[in-house]
Amino acid sequence: MEIEIEGGSVTRILMGVSESTIKGHPHASISSRGAFDWTIQKIVRHNTSAFKLLFLHVQVPDEDGFDDMDSIYASPEDFKNLMNRDRAKGLHLLEYFVTRCHEIGVSCEAWIKRGDAKEVICHEVKRVQPDLLVVGSRGLGPFQRVFVGTVSEFCVKHAECPVITIKRSADEAPQDPVDD
Amino acid sequence: MEIEIEGGSVTRILMGVSESTIKGHPHASISSRGAFDWTIQKIVRHNTSAFKLLFLHVQVPDEDGFDDMDSIYASPEDFKNLMNRDRAKGLHLLEYFVTRCHEIGVSCEAWIKRGDAKEVICHEVKRVQPDLLVVGSRGLGPFQRVFVGTVSEFCVKHAECPVITIKRSADEAPQDPVDD
């Protein structure tokens, strides 16, 4: 009846992480940080050598469209700079989580993909085959959900591995609950 | 930046467990056993002292109606025996999980409630405030779901704590996938 836990195999947890939507906030979104903290505190705990965290950041090609309204493109170089800026933002986000893992002593990997967040996450689950997918959620009501989409709901239904959705706690929600 | 993990507080995982629907099968359902095994192998691992498992079995008052079609009730005693039999079945189920926890060395508590499974589970989450709810699922398609209800889907939406649904793997499914 004893359950075998192979010493060599760690529990691989894939986390979908996103940037904060709050203007001037250079870091991970509130819900991504909440999901990370919860995973460390409640699942990994002090057993750091038994887990590996995989961070996936999906960049939505059109997401920054509004910011770009003020920009003037005069040469092919300007587009290249834009791409580099996006890339830098994504790397900065991953650096935040990789640094925290390093401090805590849990091994990790992080990467960026471009595309539709919910579809890319489910595709990466199929490719990487983690033991568990953790996604943060703003915990919005049905009315707000219509406008902002629901990556977490889609993943719970379609990802080919167990999924935990970590809702943002009420006291962490920003003034506009659609922000994160 | 270091995350505090209080030494005194364990991660409390509530598991909704059900009896097998397969005739003559005296044990836990396939999906309940799968969810338990997964939780031990992937979450608890060897860190047994950091977790406490809480087993909730919800007995649905009418669930055994079909079995009772063949029974003859001739005295108040017969109904009492029926109640005792239900109680014995529920206790047998909990004994299975408590024994396994004892063997593995993880602390646990187990109890039975009567009512509608999905509502009782969410009510108990509110009362007990676990860190995580784990529910097994048959992983049925939308057509089959119409007939058998979806305790796990309801809990993912309504339980006031993070929820993991562990789908039964395809090779564990019985001949009739509605069985469990």
Side-chain angles (χ1 to χ4, degrees), chain A residues 1-5 9-11 37-38 41-43 45-47 50-51 100 103 131 162-164 166, chain B residues 1-3 5 9-11 37-38 41-43 45-47 50-51 100 103 131 162-164 166:
Chain A
M1 294 290 261
E2 186 78 26
I3 291 178
E4 280 297 315
I5 299 166
S9 78
V10 298
T11 295
D37 289 355
W38 185 92
Q41 284 171 335
K42 300 300 183 183
I43 304 289
R45 301 185 58 104
H46 289 301
N47 196 14
F51 292 88
R100 292 202 61 186
E103 287 165 356
D131 296 299
V163 180
I164 313 186
I166 308 297
Chain B
M1 294 289 264
E2 185 78 26
I3 292 178
I5 298 165
S9 77
V10 298
T11 294
D37 289 354
W38 185 91
Q41 286 172 332
K42 301 299 184 184
I43 303 290
R45 302 185 58 105
H46 290 300
N47 196 14
F51 292 87
R100 292 202 61 187
E103 288 164 356
D131 296 300
V163 181
I164 313 186
I166 308 296

Side-chain angles (χ1 to χ4, degrees), chain B residues 27-119:
Chain B
H27 275 312
S29 63
I30 298 168
S31 62
S32 295
R33 278 181 288 140
F36 175 79
D37 289 354
W38 185 91
T39 303
I40 297 292
Q41 286 172 332
K42 301 299 184 184
I43 303 290
V44 175
R45 302 185 58 105
H46 290 300
N47 196 14
T48 46
S49 62
F51 292 87
K52 181 168 190 172
L53 299 188
L54 311 171
F55 298 98
L56 167 62
H57 172 48
V58 184
Q59 285 193 326
V60 185
D62 290 332
E63 197 178 43
D64 293 323
F66 281 105
D67 285 354
D68 297 338
M69 298 283 262
D70 299 328
S71 306
I72 293 169
Y73 306 97
S75 76
E77 276 302 302
D78 292 340
F79 290 95
K80 208 168 163 189
N81 290 340
L82 179 69
M83 298 266 280
N84 286 340
R85 199 197 61 192
D86 275 2
R87 199 166 155 269
K89 277 173 75 180
L91 290 176
H92 191 71
L93 173 71
L94 295 186
E95 188 184 15
Y96 171 81
F97 288 107
V98 170
T99 302
R100 292 202 61 187
C101 281
H102 189 80
E103 288 164 356
I104 293 162
V106 63
S107 76
C108 68
E109 279 176 29
W111 66 99
I112 298 172
K113 290 270 169 183
R114 285 176 85 83
D116 179 67
K118 59 187 189 303
E119 278 164 23

